């Protein structure tokens, strides 16, 4: 087997699910140094970070039993009141921040180096293009819109809209694709 001096994993958020073959394979690579590059280290939950920490072999956090006790279980809301749940969530986030601070190099478009931003983006050029549907296309789109609104209303009534952003984004994406 090969042993690498350095392994750099770009789009590292793709290994956040540690049960996938890709994540297992990346973690199995033998290397002296490991880098994980991603713009979205957390997309759904604090658990997303574990896959990256496991790849980085950052002890003792990469051991699931340690991670589970220190972060996942601290963030668990089972059989707790809302106040206990909020305290547990803050505890988990504080622990995660402390653990990540020596590991994480964060850069945003507003980051300054020598007094200048590291990235200058062009202004947003948004165009609205109106599309006239045929009668059949309008019927299809309106049915899709009605179903999407119904699903969205279900999230709102259940009080889960803020946690269901990925599903809501998927609904919007289907509407865009229909256009």
């Amino acid at each position: 087997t090969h042993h690498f001096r350095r392994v750099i994993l770009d789009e590292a958020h793709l290994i956040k699910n540690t049960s996938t073959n890709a994540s297992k394979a990346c973690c199995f690579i033998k290397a002296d140094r490991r880098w994980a590059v991603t713009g979205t280290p957390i997309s759904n939950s604090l658990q997303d970070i574990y896959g990256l920490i496991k790849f980085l072999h950052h002890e003792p956090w990469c051991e699931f039993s340690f991670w589970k006790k220190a972060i996942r279980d601290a963030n668990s809301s089972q059989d707790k009141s809302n106040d206990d749940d909020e305290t547990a969530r803050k505890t988990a986030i504080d622990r995660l921040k402390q653990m990540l601070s020596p590991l994480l190099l964060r850069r945003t478009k507003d980051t300054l180096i020598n007094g200048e931003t590291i990235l200058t983006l062009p202004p947003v050029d948004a165009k609205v293009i109106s599309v006239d549907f045929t009668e059949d296309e309008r019927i299809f789109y309106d049915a899709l819109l009605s179903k999407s609104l119904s699903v969205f209303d279900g999230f709102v009534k259940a009080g889960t809209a803020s946690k269901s952003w990925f599903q809501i984004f998927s609904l919007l994406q289907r509407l865009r694709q229909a256009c």
Side-chain angles (χ1 to χ4, degrees), residues 71-119:
I71 303 295
R72 195 185 77 177
D73 289 353
N75 193 39
S76 174
S77 62
Q78 296 176 353
D79 301 325
K80 293 181 181 176
S81 71
N82 285 343
D83 290 341
D84 289 343
D85 185 39
E86 190 58 33
T87 301
R89 191 177 338 275
K90 285 181 181 178
T91 299
I93 290 171
D94 288 344
R95 287 178 183 170
L96 195 58
K97 284 179 181 178
Q98 288 176 349
M99 184 266 298
L100 289 174
S101 65
L103 299 178
L104 189 66
L105 177 62
R106 184 167 186 250
R107 297 288 184 252
T108 68
K109 64 181 179 181
D110 299 323
T111 299
L112 299 177
I113 295 181
N114 298 326
E116 303 213 5
T117 57
I118 61 171
L119 178 64

Side-chain angles (χ1 to χ4, degrees), residues 15-51:
I15 65 160
K16 66 183 176 186
N17 182 349
T18 57
S19 65
T20 66
N21 288 337
S23 180
K24 290 174 185 175
C26 289
C27 292
F28 187 71
I29 295 171
K30 295 184 182 350
D32 296 328
R33 305 282 188 267
R34 295 165 175 271
W35 293 11
V37 180
T38 179
T40 52
I42 300 175
S43 56
N44 294 319
S45 72
L46 298 181
Q47 187 65 25
D48 291 349
I49 290 285
Y50 177 69

